[in-house]
């Protein structure tokens, strides 16, 4: 095996589990009340989930064509680099490697430990130790084998869907009088647009599967299938899940609750219901940590392989024994541990929301440049209903960017500052390579 190239070991099912697993997190258990409150009624809430899903699906189908045309490990970083130039791609890789992925891993590890205290009371120090242990275990599994990481992801995705399926099945079939309150007026919400924005956050995460495109057995075929099928499956899951909760709980109770899914589960299953939801969230978070480690480590690996990151040869090295990007995984884990102990992960991830959506929107827009500079492969995947589909995805991205600037102008500027701080690193690395 070439010590500079990870093994092509990921199957379609494992790629599909990455898409579904990276989207479906703890948000599905918490967002129903928020979206309902903002939309103001059940029909408008369902319309918001559908609208957010259509925007996400349009973006996903668009990026899938780019992924099929450029099936390389690194994902969006690679697409931006090839279609907009090295500096643009580097800036995304910079914030993903040093902040967004490791900070998200740290946040999810702490969340896992926090939910674990529902079953076993723990002190703050014990929670931190457990978070470190979970992180190191998943790091070790991903270092030993990409297949291990893929199988863990598949198992975690199935596990997190089980409590959702139980709530959907029993909620839709039995119900408990929740729909009797469907016509009850709610206080005026912040509007349909705000509700759609909330759903778009819940649909986020699917693009991470493109980071491991180079490790799929058949990326040109399986990647578009995994992205399209996975996003469509999540849309259907979210709609059924919300309809089940609306059948079980009165509208006023859903809006007033910070944990509507847990309340619905308790209503259906009794006290064991809260345990079911807590376990579902823990499995979701566990899968998210695994997926973030697997996909996030491929960004510094790809940058290192191209000599676009300090100590590039180190990060671009693939273990001949394990066929995994050994040092890139260690880097991702080490930075995540730093954020975990410093407690800065939530602040950092919030600062970068605006910036990451700039790059994401650029990624959707890149389809127009792709079709000018890349000759299409005969029989290759093409986004349906072009150019309408990419335009729908672009409108969603522009809406998120505009809303973020309007509501959090200082935070948006701070995120831009952190991102642009990577430019000196880029030019210094390029200068040293030239020498």
């Amino acid at each position: 095996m070439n010590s500079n190239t990870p093994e092509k070991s990921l199957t379609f099912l494992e790629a599909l589990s990455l898409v579904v697993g990276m989207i479906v997190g703890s948000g599905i258990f918490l967002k129903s009340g928020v979206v309902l409150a903002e939309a103001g009624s059940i029909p408008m809430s369902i319309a918001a989930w559908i609208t957010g899903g259509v925007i996400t699906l349009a973006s996903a189908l668009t990026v899938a064509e780019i992924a099929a045309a450029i099936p390389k490990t690194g994902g969006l970083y690679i697409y931006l680099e090839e279609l907009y130039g090295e500096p643009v791609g580097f800036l995304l890789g910079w914030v993903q490697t040093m902040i967004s992925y490791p900070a998200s891993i740290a946040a999810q590890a702490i969340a896992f430990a926090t939910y674990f205290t529902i079953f076993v009371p723990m002190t703050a120090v014990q929670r931190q130790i457990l978070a470190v242990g979970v992180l190191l275990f998943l790091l070790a599994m991903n270092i030993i084998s990409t297949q291990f990481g893929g199988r863990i992801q598949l198992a975690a995705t199935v596990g997190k869907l089980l409590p959702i399926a139980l709530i959907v099945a029993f909620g839709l079939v039995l119900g408990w009088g929740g729909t009797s309150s469907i016509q009850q007026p709610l206080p005026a919400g912040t509007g349909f647009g705000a509700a759609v924005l909330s759903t778009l956050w819940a649909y986020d995460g699917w693009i991470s599967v493109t980071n491991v495109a180079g490790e799929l057995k058949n990326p040109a075929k399986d990647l578009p299938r995994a992205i399209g099928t996975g996003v469509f499956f999540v849309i259907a899951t979210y709609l059924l899940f919300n309809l089940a909760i609306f059948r079980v709980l009165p509208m006023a109770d859903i809006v007033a609750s910070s944990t509507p899914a847990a309340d619905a589960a308790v209503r259906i299953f009794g006290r064991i219901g809260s345990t079911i939801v807590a376990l579902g969230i823990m499995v979701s978070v566990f899968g998210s940590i695994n997926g973030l480690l697997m996909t996030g480590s491929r960004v510094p690996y790809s940058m290192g392989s191209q000599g676009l990151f300090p100590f590039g040869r180190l990060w671009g090295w693939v273990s001949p024994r394990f066929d995994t990007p050994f040092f890139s995984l260690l880097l991702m884990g080490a930075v995540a541990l730093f954020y975990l102990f410093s407690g800065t992960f939530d602040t950092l991830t919030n600062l970068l929301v605006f910036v990451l959506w700039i790059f994401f929107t650029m990624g959707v827009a890149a389809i127009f440049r792709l079709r000018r500079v890349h000759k299409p492969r005969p029989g290759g995947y093409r986004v349906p209903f072009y150019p309408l589909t990419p335009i729908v995805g672009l409108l969603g991205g522009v809406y998120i960017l505009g809303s973020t600037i309007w509501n959090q102008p200082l935070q948006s500027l701070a995120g831009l500052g952190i991102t642009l701080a990577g430019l000196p690193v880029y030019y210094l690395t390029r200068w040293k390579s030239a020498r």
Side-chain angles (χ1 to χ4, degrees):
M1 181 62 61
N2 187 336
S3 62
N4 288 318
T5 307
E7 182 184 4
K8 288 181 173 290
S9 59
L10 294 176
T11 65
F12 165 74
L13 274 179
E14 288 164 346
L16 180 63
S17 71
L18 267 174
V19 175
V20 175
M22 296 297 285
I23 300 175
V24 180
S26 58
I28 180 63
F29 298 98
L30 309 172
K31 278 286 184 182
S32 298
V34 174
V35 175
L36 178 59
E38 290 169 337
S41 69
I42 286 179
M44 292 305 291
S45 172
I46 295 298
W49 283 104
I50 293 173
T51 302
V54 168
I55 292 171
T56 303
L57 187 60
S59 301
L61 294 175
T62 301
V63 174
E65 179 176 330
I66 303 174
I70 313 174
K72 298 178 181 178
T73 296
L76 186 58
Y77 150 70
I78 289 291
Y79 312 152
L80 296 181
E81 179 188 84
E82 293 210 9
L83 298 171
Y84 292 108
E86 268 189 7
V88 176
F90 177 87
L91 287 179
L92 173 60
W94 162 258
V95 297
Q96 285 182 325
T97 298
M98 300 310 298
I99 302 174
S100 69
Y101 273 115
S104 297
I105 291 167
Q108 296 287 351
I110 288 293
F112 179 90
T114 301
Y115 281 106
F116 191 80
T117 58
I118 295 174
F119 307 98
V120 181
M122 304 176 79
T123 65
V125 173
Q126 289 171 329
R127 286 198 301 270
Q128 197 171 54
I129 292 172
L130 176 60
V132 170
V134 169
L135 197 163
L136 292 178
F137 168 76
L138 289 173
L139 179 62
M141 292 299 99
N142 278 275
I143 286 175
I144 292 172
S145 170
T146 299
Q147 282 187 317
F148 279 5
R151 289 167 183 169
I152 288 172
Q153 192 65 37
L154 183 59
T157 300
V158 172
K160 73 170 66 179
L161 291 175
L162 284 176
I164 294 174
L166 286 173
I167 293 173
V168 168
F170 284 88
L172 291 178
V173 172
L174 299 178
W176 290 88
T179 51
S180 64
S181 65
I182 192 169
Q183 302 299 330
Q184 289 180 1
L186 287 173
T190 48
F192 183 74
V196 172
L197 187 61
S198 292
T199 66
L200 287 172
W201 300 131
Y203 283 118
D204 192 26
W206 58 268
I207 200 169
S208 289
V209 71
T210 60
N211 290 11
V212 294
E215 293 161 76
L216 289 173
K217 292 182 177 180
N218 189 355
K221 178 183 177 182
D222 288 346
L223 201 54
R225 287 173 57 213
I227 291 173
T229 305
V231 172
F232 188 82
F233 175 81
V234 171
I235 294 171
T237 300
Y238 281 8
L239 289 176
L240 290 172
F241 190 74
N242 278 278
L243 287 172
I245 289 178
F246 295 152
R247 274 186 55 80
V248 172
L249 297 175
M251 286 175 61
D253 291 356
I254 297 171
V255 171
S257 175
S258 59
T259 55
D263 294 345
V266 170
R267 190 81 178 269
I268 297 170
F269 304 109
R271 289 185 179 180
I272 196 175
S274 59
T275 302
I276 291 173
V277 171
L279 285 172
I281 293 176
M282 285 180 62
V283 174
S284 292
V285 170
F286 188 81
S288 294
I289 300 169
N290 182 74
L292 288 165
L293 278 168
M294 181 189 295
T295 59
S297 62
R298 270 52 179 183
V299 177
Y301 159 74
S302 183
M303 296 176 77
S305 299
Q306 296 176 289
L308 289 180
F309 209 68
F311 310 105
R313 289 184 181 179
L314 192 65
W315 317 128
W317 185 76
V318 175
S319 166
R321 179 180 179 184
F322 300 126
D323 289 319
T324 56
F326 183 85
F327 290 111
S328 288
L329 278 160
L330 285 183
L331 174 66
M332 194 59 52
V335 180
L337 285 172
F338 170 78
Y339 290 141
L340 194 155
F341 284 113
S342 67
T344 57
F345 41 84
D346 284 332
T347 302
L348 290 169
T349 50
N350 290 339
L351 284 176
L352 289 177
V353 166
F354 174 70
V355 170
L356 292 174
W357 271 94
I358 290 177
F359 289 120
F360 177 72
T361 306
M362 289 177 68
V364 176
I367 187 67
F368 301 108
R369 181 163 178 77
L370 175 81
R371 292 208 171 187
R372 288 200 304 270
V373 301
H374 273 255
K375 188 176 180 180
R377 233 182 310 191
Y381 171 79
R382 305 278 275 180
V383 58
F385 308 113
Y386 179 90
L388 178 61
T389 301
I391 290 173
V392 172
L394 273 175
L395 289 176
V398 170
Y399 174 66
I400 287 181
L401 291 173
S403 299
T404 307
I405 293 173
W406 179 261
N407 294 312
Q408 300 169 332
L410 294 178
Q411 189 167 297
S412 300
L413 285 173
L416 276 175
I418 292 173
T419 304
L420 294 176
L423 281 177
V425 179
Y426 168 74
Y427 286 112
L428 179 62
T429 305
R430 265 284 165 245
W431 175 73
K432 291 181 72 174
S433 297
R435 289 186 65 191

